[in-house]
Amino acid sequence: MPSLKAYNTFGVDVDAKEIQIIQRADDLLALNGSPEDYFILGGGSNMLLTQGIDKIVLKNEIKGIEVLQENDEGVVLQIGGGENWHETVLWCIDKGYAGFENLSLIPGTVGAAPIQNIGAYGVEIKDFILGVHAYDLQEKKAVIFNKQSCQFAYRDSIFKQAAHKGRFFISSIVVRLSKDVFQVNTDYGAIQLVLDHLKVDVPTITDVSNAVISIRQAKLPDPAEIGNSGSFFKNPVVSADKYERIQEKYEKVPSYPIGDQYKIPAGWLIEQCGWKGKRVGHTGNYEKQALIIVNYGEATGQEIYEHARNVRASVAQKFDIDLEFEVNII
Ligand SMILES: Cc1cc2nc3c(=O)[nH]c(=O)nc-3n(C[C@H](O)[C@H](O)[C@H](O)COP(=O)(O)OP(=O)(O)OC[C@H]3O[C@@H](n4cnc5c(N)ncnc54)[C@H](O)[C@@H]3O)c2cc1C
């Protein structure tokens, strides 16, 4: 039974029944089983394996980037789902295609990017998606989702919802990027601060990407050195009432208004509960960002999961907020 340790960024050591590499979309046509017989794997950077996988693991290695349309304003690309996300971002920047630069250095594959509608620094993949090509393992046919039918939301899409999870193998995505390289988005996080520090007045997409990379490298643990899956929880959105109650006690609670509600950083809530940098056995919360749960090397998926549930329980007790897992618990 092959080990999946090298195939998940938490570095959890569990076995799979079998690993089958998918190199071309046509390989999918030969799959005779039902969705329950398979487990779809990209880069393993958004999952916590709490048990072995007694299924055939389909490892997405469908490569290739094709220019479908191009004019002076922009370009439409079809990108193979097995392409590495960050390498794709760098390829686009090199060609002068603008849009993905704020999403630099996110681990994983292109095919997994629409699943949780990856986002960072004020940008989400949904901003560029025209369509998603997938193979329906249930009906055994290729299907195309237009942007609307993907039902994108904050770290969510139709592909992540329980009723559809594991049914559609995303083989490629179709995106529109701009050639207007000066339409960069530097408002979010510390991007503008870094650019000011470097004395960049009119940032190019390369400048923005480099700023994002340096911020992320300073703040996030590299899975090659310390196992993790990035943000473990989603940032909760709470009612104005609840927000005001928290604010009465914690004057400086950070928040972003969303309509008449407020999004509060989950990392802040977890930090207030005393978890930042706290180690419990082989797991714990990262010292620079409490939102990230790490594996110090020997943790089992069950141990990490139990820790995550304890973190969630303490936030619920202190703030009456139920955090939702961003990471897929398998
Ligand atoms: C250090 C670090 C930083 C991160 N930062 C961010 C961030 O800033 N923003 C963000 O949004 N995410 C972030 N993530 C999470 C992660 O990188 C993304 O969610 C990424 O898109 C996962 O890609 P993957 O190929 O590794 O997916 P996997 O972990 O392999 O799979 C994730 C889920 O999608 C399913 N799946 C994978 N590929 C396919 C496919 N082709 N078709 C159908 N289903 C599929 C899997 O079965 C699983 O349920 C971070 C992770 C790490 C480790």
Side-chain angles (χ1 to χ4, degrees):
M1 299 251 278
S3 166
L4 290 170
K5 187 171 165 61
Y7 293 97
N8 71 99
T9 59
F10 256 121
V12 166
D13 194 3
V14 293
D15 291 339
K17 184 167 155 189
E18 184 187 328
I19 300 176
Q20 192 174 328
I21 307 292
I22 302 296
Q23 280 178 316
R24 299 170 318 128
D26 282 355
D27 294 348
L28 296 162
L29 305 174
L31 301 174
N32 297 317
S34 57
E36 294 73 36
D37 298 324
Y38 303 108
F39 178 79
I40 308 169
L41 178 69
S45 66
N46 197 22
M47 56 175 65
L48 175 63
L49 299 168
T50 61
Q51 55 189 323
I53 298 187
D54 194 22
K55 297 178 178 189
I56 298 171
V57 170
L58 302 175
K59 170 96 174 67
N60 186 0
E61 292 191 7
I62 301 172
K63 299 284 165 76
I65 305 183
E66 200 184 333
V67 177
L68 300 183
Q69 273 175 39
E70 188 163 12
N71 59 25
D72 291 346
E73 280 92 51
V75 64
V76 175
L77 303 174
Q78 181 163 9
I79 311 173
E83 288 285 352
N84 174 274
W85 173 260
H86 180 59
E87 282 168 20
T88 302
V89 171
L90 295 182
W91 184 91
C92 292
I93 290 171
D94 186 54
K95 298 276 181 206
Y97 304 151
F100 285 167
E101 53 281 355
N102 292 41
L103 303 175
S104 296
L105 214 63
I106 297 180
T109 54
V110 164
I115 291 172
Q116 76 153 0
N117 178 26
I118 58 165
Y121 300 99
V123 172
E124 291 177 323
I125 179 98
K126 75 161 173 36
D127 304 339
F128 312 98
I129 294 262
L130 296 180
V132 168
H133 290 235
Y135 184 74
D136 182 345
L137 291 162
Q138 192 165 302
E139 299 294 329
K140 302 196 179 14
K141 60 174 191 192
V143 281
I144 301 176
F145 289 82
N146 63 22
K147 180 177 177 166
Q148 204 189 355
S149 53
C150 292
Q151 297 177 19
F152 289 122
Y154 165 61
R155 297 298 179 276
D156 201 17
S157 73
I158 189 169
F159 308 107
K160 206 176 173 183
Q161 291 159 18
H164 299 286
K165 215 169 179 177
R167 174 172 169 185
F168 299 102
F169 184 116
I170 297 178
S171 48
S172 65
I173 65 172
V174 178
V175 294
R176 189 199 305 279
L177 295 173
S178 151
K179 287 192 179 170
D180 186 353
V181 293
F182 297 111
Q183 282 292 318
V184 292
N185 179 346
T186 62
D187 303 341
Y188 212 87
I191 299 180
Q192 192 57 51
L193 279 178
V194 172
L195 294 171
D196 291 347
H197 181 73
L198 295 171
K199 302 199 175 2
V200 177
D201 289 338
V202 186
T204 64
I205 50 176
T206 307
D207 294 324
V208 174
S209 172
N210 287 339
V212 168
I213 290 171
S214 72
I215 298 165
R216 292 182 69 100
Q217 282 173 338
K219 186 170 100 166
L220 304 178
D222 178 355
E225 285 161 21
I226 182 159
N228 76 93
S229 237
S231 306
F232 204 95
F233 303 94
K234 292 185 185 182
N235 293 320
V237 177
V238 302
S239 66
D241 263 9
K242 191 172 271 188
Y243 172 72
E244 278 157 23
R245 263 182 278 134
I246 295 173
Q247 208 188 24
E248 276 168 23
K249 232 171 143 188
Y250 300 88
E251 211 182 306
K252 291 193 175 142
V253 51
S255 66
Y256 312 93
I258 296 186
D260 56 0
Q261 297 181 305
Y262 290 86
K263 187 185 270 188
I264 301 181
W268 182 86
L269 296 166
I270 296 167
E271 197 177 333
Q272 300 313 304
C273 296
W275 292 106
K276 191 174 179 182
K278 194 159 180 178
R279 184 173 173 154
V280 181
H282 301 293
T283 184
N285 294 66
Y286 189 52
E287 58 192 3
K288 295 184 196 163
Q289 169 54 276
L291 185 54
I292 299 176
I293 295 185
V294 295
N295 176 7
Y296 288 106
E298 302 296 323
T300 62
Q302 277 296 342
E303 190 180 350
I304 298 169
Y305 185 42
E306 200 182 317
H307 177 70
R309 280 188 305 186
N310 288 339
V311 169
R312 190 169 64 167
S314 65
V315 170
Q317 198 183 18
K318 197 173 180 96
F319 294 102
D320 188 24
I321 292 176
D322 288 324
L323 293 181
E324 215 182 305
F325 296 130
E326 179 175 318
V327 169
N328 295 277
I329 311 294
I330 310 294

